[in-house]
Amino acid sequence: MSEKEAFLKLVETIEKFLQLSRVTGAEKKQEITMDTDIYEDLGIDSLEAMDIVGEIENVFGITVEAQEMLTKKKISDIVTYIMQSNSSN
Amino acid sequence: MKKRRVVVTGMGVLASNGNGIAAFKEAIFSGVSGIGPITRFDASNLDVKIAAEVKGFDPVEHMPVAVARKTDRFAQFGVTTARMAIDDAGLSENDSALTKAAVIIGSGLGGMNFHEEAMFALIETSNPKKVPASSVPRITPNAVSAYIALQNKIKGPNQVISTACSSSGQAIGEAFRKVRSGEIDTAVTGGVEATISIVNMAMYQAMMVLGSPLGEDLKTASRPFDKTRNGFVMGEGAACLILEELEHARNRGAKIYAEVVGFGSTCGAYHMVAPNPSGEDAAETMRLALHDAGLNQDSVDYISAHGTSTKLNDLAETQAIKSLFGQYAKDIPVSSIKSMIGHTIGASGAIQAVACCLAIDSSCIPPTINLNSVDEECDLDYVPNQSREKELSVVLSNSFGFGSNNAVLAFAKIR
């Protein structure tokens, strides 16, 4: 999997999560780039981050160290972490 | 020592017949109903397919996307109406009047919508891991008071009171006492409820307490005190009020809608869902509110009734008013705004409180709509179908909840 593929898959996973975790019906999307800080820019909190780690494991078919992953803030860092986990799994 | 006086200096409302104070005021004095077909989910399997839904509410217009995403509709209603009330009162963030305020909100059901989603996710997949880690802070009833505090940096006492249909009557009463006692100078108080979900509707339908329209016009389904009434219409909505100590409000030149002068709170200890037909507990609660206000029975100019449109409530409430006020009962206008906005459960006392303040401020009584067939046993002046202009000095607002839980608030024109 290329970095770009991992990025697109990650964005899709997070967007789907943000949509699913909303009971509001409001459809406004938040744009996600490699520079996006998921906590600062998307307002994701630690509980949501735990849910997203679970989704990433499902979607990428990998097992991650949740505690370590939760320290990654930027999308680019998460992509790098996923790429590393992918090759070691 | 002289009692401190407590006034209402800001209000916000979301109701099925109007969002915001101006729209709601226009609607209740014009007799506009917010009742219609259920649109929030597919109600085709329910017998009861009507409700009073809040319309055109987009949480993202009222709070950051991240907050909207993490909150159930009930908490979004609270954050929105609290903001409206704070803005209306002219209070600003970091002002000590706000940072030291209490937040006391009523909610009968909490985060029902998300709770149901979490249950369905688990049941459909038999996988407990399908329940998100972020579920608890959405569902917990105090999510509403917590998010109001978080969004506005309000650091005083923070509570949610849950006593079914009287929740927000109790919440406003407690906030009133805290301001009057001197514990705080300002409170953000009110009630919220987001009731239009499939499990909630199914539960109330099963209890046989929901009413049906007369013929094709769905808006006739809620007809308090009418001989043909056969149940209430489930409503959703919210209202928040800013309560403030009188001198505090005057010193900052705040607009004053009305004064809160008394609060009565009791439990009838009679039945989990049925009211005592004698109305004796409801009468006692009204008496306590007047006693708390230091007012006589004959000073009451209007009663905003609990008036649900069920056979039992409306009769028991009528009995209560007759037993407390005697001969004078027939001279007091009594009306139910539930005829227009259905029963908003934990929000109903707060929305009524807003209606009472508007009534006092505008010298106008909102009508009981759909009242066309006289019930011989309900023989008071229910202000049928048309609003009525009248100077109002003292107004009572009744809230009677399941578990025989009663709250009555007394409001007065500021002198």
Side-chain angles (χ1 to χ4, degrees):
Chain A
M1 181 186 291
S2 72
E3 189 183 88
K4 185 165 186 200
E5 283 168 340
F7 167 72
L8 291 174
K9 209 166 172 180
L10 177 63
V11 170
E12 193 189 335
T13 305
I14 292 177
E15 281 184 343
K16 196 172 158 201
F17 172 80
L18 295 182
Q19 211 56 44
L20 275 181
S21 63
R22 293 173 62 174
V23 283
T24 63
E27 303 298 333
K28 294 177 182 63
K29 271 193 180 174
Q30 294 160 296
E31 198 193 344
I32 302 173
T33 70
M34 282 294 248
D35 268 340
T36 301
D37 181 317
I38 64 165
Y39 299 104
E40 288 291 319
D41 300 329
L42 302 181
I44 286 170
D45 62 26
S46 56
L47 291 176
E48 289 183 312
M50 282 165 66
D51 289 332
I52 290 173
V53 169
E55 289 299 314
I56 288 172
E57 287 188 319
N58 288 339
V59 169
F60 289 89
I62 56 176
T63 307
V64 300
E65 276 297 323
Q67 285 309 322
E68 194 182 341
M69 183 126 185
L70 289 171
T71 65
K72 314 288 178 202
K73 294 181 173 132
K74 285 205 167 189
I75 291 288
S76 55
D77 296 336
I78 300 171
V79 167
T80 304
Y81 186 76
I82 289 170
M83 301 282 292
Q84 286 165 357
S85 303
N86 225 356
S87 55
S88 62
N89 274 357
Chain B
M1 200 181 83
K2 210 176 139 197
K3 270 186 184 171
R4 282 158 47 104
R5 294 171 66 184
V6 183
V7 292
V8 178
T9 56
M11 304 196 292
V13 66
L14 290 169
S16 55
N17 65 353
N19 295 341
I21 292 297
F24 177 69
K25 179 178 168 180
E26 167 73 22
I28 57 165
F29 291 140
S30 311
V32 174
S33 170
I35 293 165
I38 290 173
T39 64
R40 288 193 52 73
F41 62 90
D42 178 4
S44 53
N45 285 336
L46 288 173
D47 294 336
V48 177
K49 298 177 173 60
I50 57 168
E53 296 180 341
V54 168
K55 291 141 192 98
F57 173 71
D58 182 352
V60 176
E61 288 174 9
H62 304 278
M63 64 200 78
V65 176
V67 173
R69 188 180 73 228
K70 292 173 203 171
T71 44
D72 189 275
R73 187 169 169 90
F74 93 113
Q76 293 168 358
F77 282 177
V79 169
T80 302
T81 52
R83 187 74 246 170
M84 289 174 177
I86 290 165
D87 289 345
D88 188 36
L91 293 170
S92 49
E93 203 175 278
N94 299 323
D95 182 347
S96 68
L98 197 54
T99 55
K100 292 181 179 173
V103 178
I104 306 181
I105 305 294
S107 174
L109 301 166
M112 192 84 194
N113 295 270
F114 192 78
H115 204 159
E116 289 178 20
E117 284 194 12
M119 286 192 294
F120 289 144
L122 198 159
I123 292 162
E124 281 164 14
T125 60
S126 299
N127 181 3
K129 290 189 171 159
K130 287 291 175 190
V131 176
S134 45
S135 300
V136 172
R138 289 192 170 102
I139 293 166
T140 185
N142 79 316
V144 61
S145 60
Y147 270 105
I148 290 171
L150 278 167
Q151 287 307 105
N152 301 287
K153 301 186 174 64
I154 307 175
K155 298 177 180 173
N158 190 289
Q159 301 168 0
V160 163
I161 292 180
S162 188
T163 57
C165 318
S166 61
S167 299
S168 51
Q170 300 285 11
I172 295 167
E174 290 302 322
F176 160 63
R177 284 179 177 168
K178 276 185 175 3
V179 176
R180 188 171 65 179
S181 71
E183 183 182 342
I184 46 169
D185 286 328
T186 316
V188 180
T189 185
V192 300
E193 212 76 88
T195 50
I196 318 300
S197 62
I198 189 160
V199 175
N200 191 51
M201 287 301 298
M203 291 195 305
Y204 279 90
Q205 174 183 291
M207 282 175 84
M208 312 281 286
V209 292
L210 299 178
S212 53
L214 289 170
E216 297 297 305
D217 184 2
L218 302 185
K219 296 183 189 316
T220 60
S222 181
R223 38 187 194 282
F225 306 108
D226 188 276
K227 193 178 179 64
T228 66
R229 70 188 183 278
N230 65 355
F232 66 81
V233 172
M234 186 59 74
E236 60 172 359
C240 278
L241 299 90
I242 306 298
L243 302 193
E244 199 170 342
E245 192 274 324
L246 175 63
E247 292 311 314
H248 189 278
R250 280 191 171 145
N251 286 342
R252 64 179 193 89
K255 169 183 62 187
I256 295 172
Y257 286 100
E259 181 173 358
V260 190
V261 290
F263 172 45
S265 172
T266 69
C267 175
Y270 176 78
H271 190 277
M272 196 52 215
V273 294
N276 186 331
S278 74
E280 65 184 54
D281 54 330
E284 171 63 6
T285 319
M286 287 186 274
R287 192 191 67 74
L288 286 172
L290 285 171
H291 178 75
D292 188 39
L295 293 167
N296 294 326
Q297 264 90 313
D298 61 5
S299 62
V300 175
D301 297 310
Y302 164 56
I303 298 173
S304 178
H306 187 57
T308 56
S309 180
T310 64
K311 286 275 182 217
L312 294 177
N313 174 82
D314 296 0
L315 184 55
E317 190 169 11
T318 298
Q319 288 299 334
I321 293 168
K322 292 200 307 199
S323 72
L324 179 66
F325 293 94
Q327 283 293 89
Y328 180 58
K330 296 202 177 188
D331 295 331
I332 309 172
V334 176
S335 74
S336 169
I337 62 167
K338 289 186 181 71
S339 59
M340 296 178 265
I341 63 166
H343 192 349
T344 56
I345 313 293
S348 64
I351 300 177
Q352 263 174 254
V354 167
C356 287
C357 290
L358 291 172
I360 290 169
D361 194 46
S362 316
S363 300
C364 188
I365 298 173
T368 304
I369 66 166
N370 301 317
L371 180 44
N372 298 306
S373 309
V374 175
D375 179 341
E376 297 76 19
E377 292 183 295
C378 292
D379 51 357
L380 299 175
D381 172 7
Y382 301 108
V383 195
N385 305 315
Q386 296 284 331
S387 60
R388 185 183 302 166
E389 288 187 14
K390 187 184 177 193
E391 279 287 322
L392 301 171
S393 295
V394 176
V395 164
L396 291 184
S397 181
N398 287 347
S399 298
F400 306 132
F402 282 172
S404 318
N405 193 294
N406 309 307
V408 175
L409 293 162
F411 297 90
K413 197 173 189 76
I414 190 77
R415 289 154 303 183

